[in-house]
Amino acid sequence: MSTFQIKTHQPGRIYHKPHFFILNKGLNSGKPFTAPVRNSFVVSTESVEQKEALFHLSYMLLEAKCYRFYLKGSVIPFIYIADVKNLLIKNSKYFGQKDFETKLKALKKVEELEVVFQNKLKAIQELKSVLLRYCKLEH
């Protein structure tokens, strides 16, 4: 991984380089987002490929619960920007490996399937609601 910058996101700021956001407060600290969210860091990269790779790496770190070790605070847990940056740098060495690329492609396919199933589930719930609405039940 050549270079990337991570900074605290300021609402209203416009970013011109490819970027994504990482939540920094709460039990979901480390969760990556493509849209700006409150209480987040912004990761800016030089290319879209870098952004995609770092985004998915951050997602993998979240799912592997790697961020949990670095959470601070008792009421509202949070993570330091340095901890997130160090985790991304330490794990970015896997980008060139064939195994990482294979897992990244598989993860993208799983995400696409997840969207399809969510849409199907939504349609089934709407159908169920319509069917129940038109049952002739007495009050």
Side-chain angles (χ1 to χ4, degrees), residues 9-56:
H9 169 61
Q10 297 173 356
R13 177 170 272 186
I14 297 172
Y15 304 98
H16 299 290
K17 291 184 177 182
H19 61 279
F20 68 96
F21 301 88
I22 297 177
L23 190 65
N24 63 13
K25 285 193 179 169
L27 292 176
N28 282 331
S29 291
K31 186 173 185 176
F33 291 93
T34 54
V37 292
R38 292 180 58 195
N39 301 320
S40 64
F41 302 128
V42 61
V43 179
S44 301
T45 63
E46 297 298 322
S47 68
V48 175
E49 293 80 21
Q50 277 184 322
K51 181 195 96 155
E52 289 294 321
L54 281 171
F55 180 88
H56 288 289

Side-chain angles (χ1 to χ4, degrees), residues 52-53 55-61 63 100-114:
E52 289 294 321
F55 180 88
H56 288 289
L57 175 63
S58 182
Y59 183 72
M60 289 176 186
L61 290 169
E63 290 299 316
F100 181 80
E101 296 299 323
T102 305
K103 288 180 181 175
L104 191 58
K105 287 179 185 176
L107 182 63
K108 287 181 181 180
K109 287 181 182 179
V110 168
E111 287 175 348
E112 290 171 4
L113 279 174
E114 185 179 20

Side-chain angles (χ1 to χ4, degrees), residues 45-91:
T45 63
E46 297 298 322
S47 68
V48 175
E49 293 80 21
Q50 277 184 322
K51 181 195 96 155
E52 289 294 321
L54 281 171
F55 180 88
H56 288 289
L57 175 63
S58 182
Y59 183 72
M60 289 176 186
L61 290 169
L62 175 75
E63 290 299 316
K65 299 188 182 352
C66 294
Y67 290 114
R68 293 247 170 153
F69 178 76
Y70 297 98
L71 288 179
K72 313 282 191 286
S74 58
V75 178
I76 300 175
F78 63 95
I79 190 166
Y80 289 125
I81 194 168
D83 293 334
V84 173
K85 185 173 185 175
N86 289 337
L87 265 175
L88 290 175
I89 289 171
K90 186 170 33 172
N91 289 289

